[in-house]
Amino acid sequence: MDANNALKLGRLFRVPYGGEGVDFVDQLNYQFTSGIIVLFIVMIGFRQYVGKPLHCWVPQEFTSSWEDYAENICWVQNTYFLLPNEAIPEDDFEMLRVRHISYYQWVAIILAGQAMMAWVPHVLWRVWSKRVPVLLKNAREAAVPDKEVRHKAISCLVAALEEISEASKRYRRTRGIFQRCLGGPPPTTRITLLFLIVRIFFIANNIGQIYVMKHFIGTNDTLFGLHVFQELLIGSEWEVSGLFPRVTYCDVKVRKLGQLKPAS
């Protein structure tokens, strides 16, 4: 990565995409979160789709083509994790009791979905709050020392406020509950409602992604991420905890002299 690309990537975390009306909490929810996720997608996707996603320890009689075949099969189908004191299952009934690892293949895709979902509340805010950035920008520029810029900002600010005032008058002149329901809430409360709805969407998105990861990992523990962090702090090894294991098992059936024999 050259200096120009690094500079462009760094702007992702400095520029408040969305302009006026976006605070740090908004940036943290959609900009910083999605930016970090994109970095993880690049690192993981490069290993999975460009390099070799896994390496198998195969019997000595396996040729290189057999080894490639076994690695492809094990990557497509699920592998399983065993503790050091557990024996390799010998039949289908014992296979039902082992812990299958089925999420490594889909990490990049799930992260991409999470990054897109992080932007949904902000996109709603950008689409429906068209006047807010203009009002905030003009209000900020109305306090600058430059007379020409200040005069232009005040004129734009007055025009925008007059437009909102006229919309409020038209709404008050509307008669009938049905017509008012079709017209939506009053113009003076639309931004407030939109602000609250977007915040609710941000919270719902964060909570929903916790349950998505819970289902994706295949655990019943809602605080799974916190427990993983605690295991890292106390120095627990993955061989004992089984959290994101780096070594798993996979069964590949091999034909030898007309007989079908498993090779683990």
Side-chain angles (χ1 to χ4, degrees):
M1 180 181 295
D2 56 14
N4 292 330
N5 291 332
L7 181 60
K8 293 179 181 179
L9 188 61
R11 290 175 181 172
L12 180 65
F13 301 96
R14 293 202 311 268
V15 179
Y17 291 105
E20 306 292 340
V22 176
D23 56 15
F24 176 73
V25 177
D26 294 333
Q27 288 183 259
L28 187 63
N29 274 281
Y30 74 90
Q31 181 180 338
F32 289 87
T33 301
S34 59
I36 294 173
I37 291 177
V38 168
L39 292 179
F40 289 153
I41 292 174
V42 172
M43 292 186 294
I44 296 173
F46 184 81
R47 176 64 182 272
Q48 289 185 351
Y49 302 111
V50 179
K52 296 184 68 174
L54 82 166
H55 297 271
C56 291
W57 184 20
V58 296
Q60 292 184 353
E61 64 266 20
F62 273 30
T63 62
S64 59
S65 60
W66 289 12
E67 182 178 353
D68 292 338
Y69 170 78
E71 290 175 348
N72 291 330
I73 288 295
C74 291
W75 176 246
V76 173
Q77 70 180 11
N78 299 336
T79 58
Y80 57 92
F81 171 75
L82 296 175
L83 293 173
N85 58 347
E86 291 181 328
I88 296 178
E90 297 181 356
D91 52 32
D92 294 338
F93 179 75
E94 293 182 356
M95 283 293 296
L96 296 176
R97 296 183 296 177
V98 300
R99 177 186 172 188
H100 292 273
I101 307 298
S102 59
Y103 47 81
Y104 281 136
Q105 303 95 317
W106 308 99
V107 170
I109 298 176
I110 295 298
L111 289 179
Q114 288 184 296
M116 289 187 291
M117 289 301 298
W119 275 83
V120 170
H122 177 68
V123 171
L124 294 177
W125 171 257
R126 290 289 296 163
V127 170
W128 295 102
S129 65
K130 297 179 180 179
R131 292 189 182 92
V132 173
V134 177
L135 289 173
L136 294 177
K137 180 181 179 181
N138 292 327
R140 181 166 52 85
E141 292 181 351
V144 299
D146 193 332
K147 292 183 178 180
E148 183 178 354
V149 175
R150 185 171 66 249
H151 179 72
K152 182 179 179 180
I154 292 175
S155 300
C156 294
L157 185 61
V158 170
L161 292 176
E162 287 180 350
E163 184 180 355
I164 295 176
S165 178
E166 289 296 328
S168 299
K169 292 179 181 179
R170 289 195 300 268
Y171 182 84
R172 287 194 296 268
R173 288 195 298 265
T174 302
R175 297 181 179 180
I177 299 177
F178 181 73
Q179 293 179 346
R180 290 195 175 188
C181 291
L182 291 178
T188 54
T189 60
R190 288 175 185 173
I191 296 300
T192 303
L193 292 176
L194 178 62
F195 180 85
L196 295 176
I197 291 173
V198 169
R199 265 48 188 182
I200 292 174
F201 278 176
F202 272 129
I203 296 174
N205 178 64
N206 294 332
I207 297 176
Q209 293 207 23
I210 293 176
Y211 284 92
V212 168
M213 292 302 297
K214 173 184 172 182
H215 180 73
F216 176 61
I217 298 297
T219 178
N220 294 323
D221 187 6
T222 306
L223 302 178
F224 176 77
L226 179 60
H227 293 160
V228 172
F229 185 70
Q230 291 176 346
E231 294 289 340
L232 292 175
L233 290 179
I234 64 178
S236 177
E237 296 293 336
W238 61 267
E239 293 93 340
V240 179
S241 64
L243 300 174
F244 299 103
R246 294 190 291 273
V247 177
T248 56
Y249 294 86
C250 175
D251 293 336
V252 178
K253 294 183 178 181
V254 180
R255 288 188 180 274
K256 291 184 178 180
L257 298 177
Q259 296 180 350
L260 194 63
K261 297 183 179 180
S264 298

